[in-house]
Amino acid sequence: MEGISTALVDRPPAGGSVRVAVADLRESLAHSDMTTMSDQERVALIAELERLKGSASACQMRAVDAVRVSRLESRPQDATRSVGSEVALARRESPSLGDRFVGVSRALVEEMPETLAALGRGEIVERHAVELVRETAALSREDRAEVDRRLAGVLPRLGWRAAGRAARRVAAELDAASVVRRMEAAVRSRRVSVRPAPDGMAYLTVLGPLREVVGAYAALQARARAVVGGQCDDEGADGRGVGSVAADTALRVMAGLAPGQVQPVEVQLVITDRALLGVGDAGRSTAEPARVPGHGSVPAPVARSWVRGPGPASVWLRRLYTSPDGRDLVALDSRRRIFSGLLRRMLVLRDDVCSTPWCDAPIVHADHAHPARLGGATSFVNGSGRCARCNQVKEAPGWRVGVVRGSPHELLIRTPSGAVHHSLAPPLLGWGTDPPAPSPLERHLEALLGA
């Protein structure tokens, strides 16, 4: 084991009887027999399981808030972010969602007992609680309790969207000034974000003031309708619909391009030589998908079409050296000197997204797993790609990270409560990559060894 002590892999202490009872229930549910039930019994079971999910969420919230209170007493300076990250690992979600759950738990336990009770009875689901807490975030403790009291009787009959609208209405009635201040403060959070979508697409989201966003959308739609209607001399529809023209126009305007101009931005594309050029290891398929780091896989024909054009785009090829089975990145070709930081590029290509389990945020920091201040090497093995949040949280008391092995790259993360989580770097071409078939020489050697 490299860069980690044996104490890191010790099992966390056993929990109490409640945890054991929940584990026993989960085991019984996993092996329940549906074939002996009638349809009526199956539907009734579905309804009861839905109520059970609400009760489980309420129990989680009480446990989370108890952890938060305990950490505030022992380590107040690290409690907020550290607990959020630890809860996120336990719930197998991103740290931002872990923070949200800690906040919702505190609000329900301390300020909204009726909503927590309804959740515990299984009358509502977790999303109801999240919406109520979000819509009452600007209220005082007393006003939030009043919203909780007013909606207690009707909440089980409302969907989560309707519950959010109801909470928003009551909040505006109780304290209109705070709601207005919240809307004004929200303007400072305006931003643009991107996330992957199915079928080689992506969402580009602009969060901004309602009036300006609606105005920009109306202008895009007017321009798109004019192009489709043949009213624009500088651009033709070319078989596109209004939606396609609006999307093309928005992307072109934001990038500052003229119609037909190529996007002058580097997009890294990881693809085997066999899939790109038809040469190389004959044991690999020419249809093996490529990968855009941080955004997922794309079919080989699509990747080849991106490399070919259209337009006078410049294509730079950099060789990636892998382990013998093709799974892990071990080195980069450094011939293209206009780029610096090849070690950081290797970490991004290897880890794809933040190396904290279930985080999935883009990589911002190249981090030392074993801290540099403690003698950790600035190396490919000791490095890990992390988002800013996870890189900062691991420095809080009680958090430890160590390298288990270099290929495939595996980290062990221990939280302040003693829970241990593994982080395994994906295959170079992404999760789901099948191992390459053995070459004829390898099969011959295996036959000889077997004989």
Side-chain angles (χ1 to χ4, degrees):
M1 182 173 295
E2 179 178 352
I4 188 169
S5 68
T6 56
L8 183 58
V9 297
D10 292 342
R11 294 182 60 85
S17 58
V18 175
R19 183 183 65 82
V20 174
V22 171
D24 291 342
L25 174 61
R26 177 172 51 80
E27 186 70 18
S28 66
L29 290 175
H31 296 90
S32 55
D33 186 3
M34 299 294 138
T35 61
T36 60
M37 297 181 179
S38 66
D39 284 351
Q40 182 179 5
E41 290 170 333
R42 294 184 186 110
V43 173
L45 175 62
I46 293 170
E48 195 59 45
L49 288 172
E50 191 63 24
R51 288 190 285 271
L52 179 61
K53 287 195 287 186
S55 298
S57 293
C59 188
Q60 271 191 333
M61 289 179 183
R62 294 198 302 270
V64 165
D65 197 61
V67 172
R68 180 189 65 84
V69 172
S70 174
R71 295 291 170 78
L72 280 174
E73 294 173 352
S74 59
R75 291 193 292 268
Q77 70 277 12
D78 301 305
T80 303
R81 283 204 160 189
S82 183
V83 171
S85 291
E86 194 168 0
V87 168
L89 287 168
R91 282 171 50 91
R92 304 190 177 200
E93 61 188 12
S94 69
S96 61
L97 291 179
D99 283 346
R100 187 183 75 174
F101 194 78
V102 172
V104 170
S105 301
R106 184 202 61 77
L108 262 64
V109 171
E110 295 187 353
E111 302 173 11
M112 306 183 77
E114 296 292 342
T115 302
L116 181 62
L119 186 63
R121 293 189 296 268
E123 297 173 348
I124 60 175
V125 297
E126 184 178 307
R127 190 62 186 266
H128 286 79
V130 171
E131 288 298 306
L132 261 65
V133 171
R134 184 171 66 86
E135 295 297 344
T136 59
L139 300 182
S140 65
R141 186 187 188 99
E142 292 75 17
D143 286 342
R144 178 176 261 174
E146 177 63 15
V147 174
D148 181 54
R149 186 191 66 78
R150 285 202 198 181
L151 297 183
V154 299
L155 203 54
R157 295 196 292 269
L158 301 178
W160 62 264
R161 288 188 179 90
R165 290 194 297 269
R168 192 182 315 134
R169 194 205 70 78
V170 178
E173 174 189 337
L174 295 175
D175 192 353
S178 68
V179 175
V180 172
R181 287 194 300 271
R182 179 182 174 185
M183 294 176 66
E184 292 173 345
V187 175
R188 294 194 293 271
S189 67
R190 58 192 184 277
R191 60 187 179 275
V192 178
S193 59
V194 63
R195 68 185 191 278
D199 305 321
M201 305 290 279
Y203 296 103
L204 181 64
T205 304
V206 179
L207 176 65
L210 178 64
R211 181 178 61 184
E212 281 125 11
V213 171
V214 171
Y217 177 76
L220 273 175
Q221 293 297 303
R223 166 71 184 187
R225 285 191 292 267
V227 171
V228 172
Q231 302 168 14
C232 297
D233 296 333
D234 61 333
E235 185 178 4
D238 300 324
R240 298 174 295 169
V242 172
S244 297
V245 173
D248 294 344
T249 301
L251 294 173
R252 188 178 69 244
V253 169
M254 284 189 284
L257 303 176
Q261 185 179 353
V262 177
Q263 176 67 265
V265 176
E266 177 177 320
V267 176
Q268 294 192 46
L269 182 72
V270 182
I271 187 171
T272 66
D273 51 356
R274 183 73 173 171
L276 178 63
L277 305 172
V279 298
D281 186 357
R284 302 191 80 108
S285 170
T286 57
E288 194 164 1
R291 177 174 67 89
V292 178
H295 295 277
S297 298
V298 294
V302 174
R304 288 193 290 266
S305 70
W306 288 356
V307 173
R308 286 197 300 264
S314 297
V315 177
W316 292 85
L317 298 180
R318 176 179 289 118
R319 291 174 296 183
L320 308 180
Y321 298 93
T322 69
S323 55
D325 60 2
R327 185 198 189 281
D328 301 301
L329 180 67
V330 296
L332 270 180
D333 186 5
S334 59
R335 290 185 179 181
R336 190 180 176 196
R337 298 299 183 182
I338 63 173
F339 289 104
S340 60
L342 289 178
L343 182 58
R344 188 183 190 282
R345 284 176 175 267
M346 286 180 66
L347 295 179
V348 173
L349 288 172
R350 183 194 67 195
D351 294 339
D352 193 27
V353 293
C354 177
S355 57
T356 299
W358 306 295
C359 179
D360 288 333
I363 292 174
V364 176
H365 294 165
D367 177 46
H368 291 78
H370 185 61
R373 65 178 183 275
L374 300 179
T378 304
S379 65
F380 187 50
V381 172
N382 192 49
S384 63
R386 288 182 176 269
C387 68
R389 157 68 181 271
C390 291
N391 188 32
Q392 294 164 1
V393 165
K394 68 180 279 290
E395 300 299 325
W399 287 85
R400 296 183 63 192
V401 177
V403 178
V404 178
R405 53 179 170 170
S407 181
H409 195 258
E410 183 178 5
L411 300 176
L412 225 60
I413 302 169
R414 184 167 187 169
T415 69
S417 64
V420 174
H421 301 270
H422 289 256
S423 172
L424 187 67
L428 182 58
L429 293 175
W431 292 114
T433 304
D434 293 327
S439 66
L441 176 60
E442 289 172 330
R443 287 195 294 267
H444 179 64
L445 290 174
E446 287 176 359
L448 291 176
L449 291 173

